[in-house]
Amino acid sequence: MPIEVALPLYVRGTLHTGASGLGLLWTALGVGALAGAGLVDRLRNLPQRPLLITIIALWALCPIALAGIENQTAAMVVFGRGGLVWAPFTPIAYSFLQTGLRPAEQQPVVTLWTTGSTVAAPLGLLAGGPLIALTGVGTSLFISGLLTLLLAPLAAWSVLTRAEVR
């Protein structure tokens, strides 16, 4: 969640633009997310486990790339690509959860997942401010992406070693 905190500062300081620049970045993410949502049905035919890991890794590259970009158009391209890979995450993650659970386990686990996500978002926002104050905008974007990228091998180990429930 440091992206949500850092983006207005990134737009003002690094990209040297204002509210319109921020709006354009969020629009680029939205356009990418709309395209990504349109791909979800096609992605369901791919192996979900490696796809989920790939999405995590590709999303992580978005803030890492933003940390090194000082051009509005390039930032929009990166954020749009971020939206493209971000949008399919939730439906693919829920589908993946369902493949590893018995029917009676699905509702409690999905509820727990949703609760965890709901609690994690404000905690991530709370941590974003001090992280940015300590490290700066570019470094905090890089750290956020790097920490997310480090989740990919952990996710790979977790999901690739888990047997599917039949």
Side-chain angles (χ1 to χ4, degrees):
M1 296 303 286
I3 288 179
E4 284 80 356
V5 178
L7 213 55
L9 301 171
Y10 170 75
V11 166
R12 187 183 66 203
T14 304
L15 300 181
H16 307 291
T17 186
S20 62
L22 181 62
L24 287 170
L25 276 181
W26 283 118
T27 300
L29 180 88
V31 169
L34 185 61
L39 293 174
V40 169
D41 187 52
R42 290 198 165 106
L43 295 174
R44 70 183 169 93
N45 295 323
L46 297 174
Q48 289 185 354
R49 293 166 185 236
L51 180 59
L52 190 59
I53 295 159
T54 302
I55 288 171
I56 292 168
L58 288 175
W59 169 252
L61 296 177
C62 178
I64 290 171
L66 282 178
I69 292 175
E70 297 181 6
N71 174 281
Q72 176 78 37
T73 303
M76 289 172 61
V77 169
V78 166
F79 216 43
R81 288 182 180 173
L84 181 70
V85 298
W86 169 76
F89 176 77
T90 299
I92 291 168
Y94 278 106
S95 294
F96 171 72
L97 278 174
Q98 290 176 347
T99 64
L101 300 170
R102 290 175 179 73
E105 298 170 324
Q106 289 180 6
Q107 185 57 48
V109 171
V110 169
T111 301
L112 181 62
W113 175 287
T114 304
T115 301
S117 298
T118 302
V119 171
L123 290 176
L125 289 170
L126 182 66
L131 175 66
I132 293 165
L134 268 167
T135 65
V137 174
T139 303
S140 66
L141 287 170
F142 182 81
I143 290 170
S144 174
L146 183 62
L147 290 174
T148 304
L149 192 58
L150 292 173
L151 288 175
L154 179 63
W157 173 79
S158 177
V159 302
L160 295 176
T161 59
R162 183 179 176 147
E164 288 188 37
V165 174
R166 296 280 176 195

